[in-house]
Amino acid sequence: MGSLFSTLITTIKSKITPLVTKFKNWTSWSFIRTKVISAIRDFFSNILNIKPRHKKDYYEVFGWLVSRRLAIALVVVAGVLSIYYLFCVRSVLPSSSTDTVKSYAYNSLLLRFTSDTVQITAKDGYVAYEGEVSSGAVNGYGTLYNSDGAVVYQGNFENNEYQGTGTRYYDDGTMMYTGEFESNEFSGTGKLYRENGTLEYEGDFSLGMKDGSGKLYDVSGTLVYEGSFSRDVIVYSELLGMKASEAAEIYSGVRTVYEQDDSYAVVLDDIGVIYADTGESATLDEEITIGQLIVLSDEFPVGSSALSTKEELESYFGTELMTQTETLSLAETVALSYVDPEDAQLVLTQEYDDYYTVEEYGGSARMFTGTRDGLSYTFISSGTDGTFSFYIIQYEE
């Protein structure tokens, strides 16, 4: 009986032992790893067995026969390398996180598929941007930094460009501009600041320039002019025909008056222009009418360009500008004293800080005149090289 029982136990063990062994093996990491490596080795061994057998075992590529198995092997290797790149190369994976904000390198592949608030590091490793991204680009609200960590721009972005409202800064972090942007340019309404922090201009902008209605401030931030601008330049012609009192409403900066025999030249120092009366007024009072403007600039603005030679002006006016030598008026002599004092024949008596009586004036200069859009422009030149020192605007006669 005992012998029969022992035999039964031995038989059961012989049946169960292989199952137990298999279970132990398949739950053992070393066994599984060995099996996987062996399977991979056999797979590649079979794949790379490229001995010629039949034409169907090859692809024809540009006249060359490439083993189908070799082609499959190359695809598999490429896939493995791609996976390795995605999961092991630091530059394409989130490198760190700060308060749950993920950080990506500027050339990160995963950044193209991210829609979130992130940090983006530049090639040199510093944080160049922190904010919203989507659709593979900077979109939404964010902050752009330079390599020193100073803020370059803070505001709204669209397709990696400043778009909407935002604030632009100088390299040292001082505010440059705050307002509306379009395609990285100041566009819309905004405020422009100097590097010392004082307000320079507030009003309309277009293509990064003052354009439209606006207010101009001096270096201390005091309002000096309110009017129209075009391509960063004051539209001086809007002063023509104004009374002195009307001009005083839009210009509140420093002014200097020159008088001789009831003729006047008034210098609006902060905007670089001189106006003269029409000759109809008898005294310097509220009723003086501005009939002539002298712009103290050797450049004539046209669109986004600035013309400085007679040849350029002739191209703009579409006709040859005849040059002639003329005697200078009081206002023209005053203007010459500002731009070329050595050539100005002007004898003055200072009555007050901002008021002079003119004892003598005179001299002559070369002039060339052009007309356009109902206005006459006269360019005053003290030389013979075709350039000019300043120009006059008045209504065409």
Side-chain angles (χ1 to χ4, degrees), residues 194 196-200 216-224:
R194 299 179 180 87
N196 66 1
T198 60
L199 180 62
E200 176 183 338
L216 192 67
Y217 297 80
D218 65 14
V219 292
S220 66
T222 302
L223 177 66
V224 294

Side-chain angles (χ1 to χ4, degrees), residues 87-161:
F87 289 96
C88 299
V89 178
R90 179 183 178 85
S91 67
V92 299
L93 288 177
S95 57
S96 62
S97 61
T98 304
D99 296 330
T100 71
V101 176
K102 295 180 180 179
S103 180
Y104 296 86
Y106 75 100
N107 60 348
S108 169
L109 179 62
L110 292 185
L111 184 59
R112 300 178 186 178
F113 307 101
T114 299
S115 295
D116 202 351
T117 298
V118 304
Q119 286 185 343
I120 300 176
T121 57
K123 186 176 182 179
D124 294 340
Y126 68 91
V127 176
Y129 173 78
E130 183 171 1
E132 298 174 321
V133 296
S134 64
S135 304
V138 174
N139 285 294
Y141 188 86
T143 304
L144 190 67
Y145 301 90
N146 63 18
S147 57
D148 295 326
V151 177
V152 174
Y153 171 82
Q154 187 173 49
N156 291 291
F157 290 81
E158 185 175 316
N159 292 326
N160 297 327
E161 293 183 334

Side-chain angles (χ1 to χ4, degrees), residues 140-282:
Y141 188 86
T143 304
L144 190 67
Y145 301 90
N146 63 18
S147 57
D148 295 326
V151 177
V152 174
Y153 171 82
Q154 187 173 49
N156 291 291
F157 290 81
E158 185 175 316
N159 292 326
N160 297 327
E161 293 183 334
Y162 310 153
Q163 189 79 18
T165 57
T167 302
R168 180 79 166 83
Y169 296 85
Y170 290 103
D171 290 341
D172 63 357
T174 304
M175 184 186 299
M176 175 193 297
Y177 170 87
T178 183
E180 297 176 312
F181 288 81
E182 183 175 348
S183 298
N184 289 334
E185 301 279 9
F186 310 154
S187 186
T189 58
K191 294 181 178 181
L192 182 66
Y193 294 84
R194 299 179 180 87
E195 290 190 68
N196 66 1
T198 60
L199 180 62
E200 176 183 338
Y201 171 85
E202 64 175 325
D204 297 331
F205 289 83
S206 178
L207 300 175
M209 294 178 285
K210 308 176 192 76
D211 200 287
S213 298
K215 298 178 180 179
L216 192 67
Y217 297 80
D218 65 14
V219 292
S220 66
T222 302
L223 177 66
V224 294
Y225 181 80
E226 182 175 1
S228 300
F229 294 76
S230 177
R231 304 284 183 155
D232 259 350
V233 179
I234 293 172
V235 181
Y236 295 108
S237 59
E238 72 177 1
L239 290 166
L240 286 175
M242 282 189 179
K243 302 294 185 182
S245 58
E246 294 172 326
E249 291 179 1
I250 65 174
Y251 177 80
S252 55
V254 176
R255 72 184 69 225
T256 306
V257 178
Y258 297 81
E259 176 200 0
Q260 188 196 56
D261 298 333
D262 296 329
S263 291
Y264 301 93
V266 182
V267 183
L268 308 184
D269 299 81
D270 289 303
I271 60 174
V273 69
I274 300 172
Y275 72 73
D277 63 85
T278 60
E280 299 173 357
S281 304

Side-chain angles (χ1 to χ4, degrees), residues 242-249 281 283-289:
M242 282 189 179
K243 302 294 185 182
S245 58
E246 294 172 326
E249 291 179 1
S281 304
T283 58
L284 181 60
D285 58 22
E286 297 287 321
E287 298 306 314
I288 287 179
T289 300

